[in-house]
Amino acid sequence: MSEHTNLLIIGAGPAGLAAALAAAPRAARIVLLDDNPLPGGQIWRDGPQAKVPAQARRLREQVLACRNVHCYSGTRVIAQPGPDTLLVEDAERGWQIRYDRLILCTGARELLLPFPGWTLPGVTGAGGLQALIKAGLPVHEQRIVIAGSGPLLLASAATAKANGARVLRIAEQASPAAVAGFAAQLPRWPQKLLQSFSLFDRQYRSASHVLAALGSDRLEGVRLMQNGKIVEIACDRLACGFGLIPNIQLAQALGCAVAHDAVAVNNWQETTLPGVYAAGECTGFGGSERALVEGAIAGHAAVGNRQAAQRLLRQRARWHGFADALNKAFSLDPALKSLATADTLVCRCEDVPYSALAGHGSWREAKLASRCGMGACQGRVCGAATRHLFGWQPSAPRPPFSPARIDTLLCLEETPGA
């Protein structure tokens, strides 16, 4: 089974939705697919306990109202059977999609760094906790510590408190000077300044980072380094994330060039592959505003409307400035590379400890010797961690890009265009 579309958009977060809406007036058929149940991506994740922003609801409604835009939810990319063709799978079937133009809006994921106890039940990523709560996880009256780096810590804390949790501490690894310097620049982006007021939390501490999660069968507390002093806090949950990193695996597999750990694009959001564009956090982390304008530029450019794209370039530059300030202020302290001890698991899927990796010189060498990166997550977690710890660059993924059913893989035998 196969289908053809003029424009295929992978990812229905802010960038993907904006790209679809921008391209809709000029494209006969657009397919927008995402592996989540509903459009919105991670930042606008919907769910039983989610409060989706009005802007997100409006954009989603506008896209769904376009008769030439076909949204496929719960759908993942499995392989590339041939040029301009992708094999995809949902809960019921697998099929090939042929496209004239492609826009990658694959977003970003949390950087999770290993530390003693990070595999205990009750320990999650900061964004992971936020997603779980939105999906219905009860946290009422639970004691929560949030640690790591970046504004996501405050957003996760706000979500937890709104659902009845007791946030005992927000530990930000960046220095007081870095945080203050970033805050001083926020008047350049008034809406971000207003947002910062709503997210302020008196439990926020800079120059603080996790040392260990404490407990035997499950999390019982957390040990923090706080302004040079070790403190321990009893808690029920620890949410720890060290910022976001672009999801570049699909772009790499297709052959797109990567620069600064993100998909490389030109002025029109086009990658090094002609006819393939990228937008949003897969091109670099910078928030929903940056993702929206990049998605719109990519959508216009993909359907040949460069005049409309041109009008958005100044707005994109403004939000690139915000992204630069954000990433500089919350750059990770080199001390975080020493959190893991010899027996700390780095690859959770295959139970590979730090000591089994430290003596190797590359990702490939470590993978062959220890099975690191060969588990269910296919190196998405440990690959990013070893990149930070050792400077290794994980190789481009090989198909299948995600676990797939046998009947889906049999679709690879189909002749494209048949």
Side-chain angles (χ1 to χ4, degrees):
M1 179 185 295
S2 66
E3 66 175 289
H4 173 265
T5 186
N6 303 113
L7 178 61
L8 175 60
I9 303 172
I10 309 296
L17 291 170
L21 192 61
R26 289 197 176 197
R29 178 179 170 83
I30 299 172
V31 168
L32 174 64
L33 64 84
D34 194 280
D35 59 358
N36 289 310
L38 293 168
Q42 298 301 323
I43 194 167
W44 290 338
R45 177 182 284 271
D46 209 337
Q49 294 178 181
K51 294 181 179 178
V52 180
Q55 179 191 26
R57 291 196 303 270
R58 286 195 303 269
L59 183 56
R60 184 167 65 187
E61 289 167 2
Q62 288 174 315
V63 171
L64 294 176
C66 296
R67 303 178 74 176
N68 59 332
V69 178
H70 305 268
C71 297
Y72 299 153
S73 60
T75 305
R76 300 177 297 178
V77 177
I78 303 301
Q80 183 186 29
D84 304 330
T85 305
L86 292 178
L87 174 66
V88 303
E89 177 188 83
D90 64 12
E92 299 178 353
R93 62 185 180 122
W95 75 102
Q96 294 187 19
I97 301 179
R98 293 178 292 113
Y99 56 86
D100 300 324
R101 295 286 186 272
L102 173 67
I103 303 179
L104 301 173
C105 303
T106 48
R109 65 189 186 280
E110 281 190 277
L111 173 61
L112 304 176
L113 297 181
F115 54 87
W118 78 301
T119 59
L120 283 171
V123 181
T124 66
L129 175 63
Q130 191 179 37
L132 288 169
I133 292 173
K134 289 180 179 180
L137 177 73
V139 293
H140 185 71
E141 287 300 316
Q142 290 189 1
R143 301 166 300 168
I144 295 178
V145 172
I146 298 174
S149 192
L152 182 58
L153 305 186
L154 290 167
S156 183
T159 300
K161 289 194 299 181
N163 286 273
R166 296 163 53 199
V167 176
L168 306 181
R169 188 62 42 85
I170 304 172
E172 166 58 60
Q173 61 86 42
S175 70
V179 175
F182 176 70
Q185 297 183 68
L186 285 179
R188 295 166 56 192
W189 306 279
Q191 63 198 88
K192 290 297 184 182
L193 179 63
L194 290 174
Q195 187 181 46
S196 70
F197 293 145
S198 67
L199 292 177
F200 174 77
D201 194 296
R202 61 179 180 167
Q203 298 299 336
Y204 186 87
R205 302 288 187 277
S206 55
S208 303
H209 65 263
V210 66
L211 292 176
L214 309 176
S216 51
D217 296 327
R218 67 164 287 111
L219 179 73
E220 297 173 8
V222 58
R223 182 178 297 130
L224 299 171
M225 177 65 73
Q226 184 173 296
N227 293 306
K229 297 181 180 180
I230 295 177
V231 298
E232 293 187 0
I233 301 174
C235 59
D236 303 304
R237 291 190 180 276
L238 168 63
C240 194
F242 295 88
L244 298 177
I245 50 176
N247 285 324
I248 60 174
Q249 287 75 15
L250 180 57
Q252 282 182 303
L254 297 179
C256 302
V258 172
H260 308 296
D261 299 321
V263 183
V265 294
N266 65 14
N267 204 40
W268 309 109
Q269 300 295 138
E270 190 171 20
T271 70
T272 51
L273 289 181
V276 178
Y277 299 77
E281 292 183 338
C282 64
T283 68
F285 172 61
S288 60
E289 294 86 0
R290 169 178 165 165
L292 285 167
V293 68
E294 286 191 352
I297 291 171
H300 287 308
V303 295
N305 190 2
R306 287 197 173 187
Q307 186 176 6
Q310 179 79 40
R311 291 194 291 267
L312 297 172
L313 298 186
R314 182 176 296 181
Q315 183 181 345
R316 182 183 63 186
R318 180 168 176 264
W319 289 110
H320 277 196
F322 173 77
D324 291 342
L326 181 71
N327 293 324
K328 181 179 179 181
F330 295 100
S331 60
L332 297 184
D333 188 327
L336 298 175
K337 294 184 179 182
S338 60
L339 293 180
T341 59
D343 60 349
T344 301
L345 294 182
V346 176
C347 176
R348 303 174 62 156
C349 298
E350 296 294 326
D351 293 337
V352 182
Y354 181 90
S355 59
L357 301 173
H360 296 292
S362 69
W363 168 257
R364 176 177 171 80
E365 183 182 318
K367 189 174 181 180
L368 290 173
S370 67
R371 290 188 56 82
C372 181
M374 299 178 71
C377 87
Q378 290 292 286
R380 287 174 174 82
V381 175
C382 58
T386 57
R387 168 87 168 134
H388 179 78
L389 293 173
F390 307 116
W392 298 343
Q393 179 61 61
S395 54
R398 293 181 294 179
F401 307 137
S402 298
R405 298 186 298 271
I406 295 297
D407 59 343
T408 295
L409 298 178
L410 290 175
C411 295
L412 289 170
E413 297 298 322
E414 295 180 6
T415 302

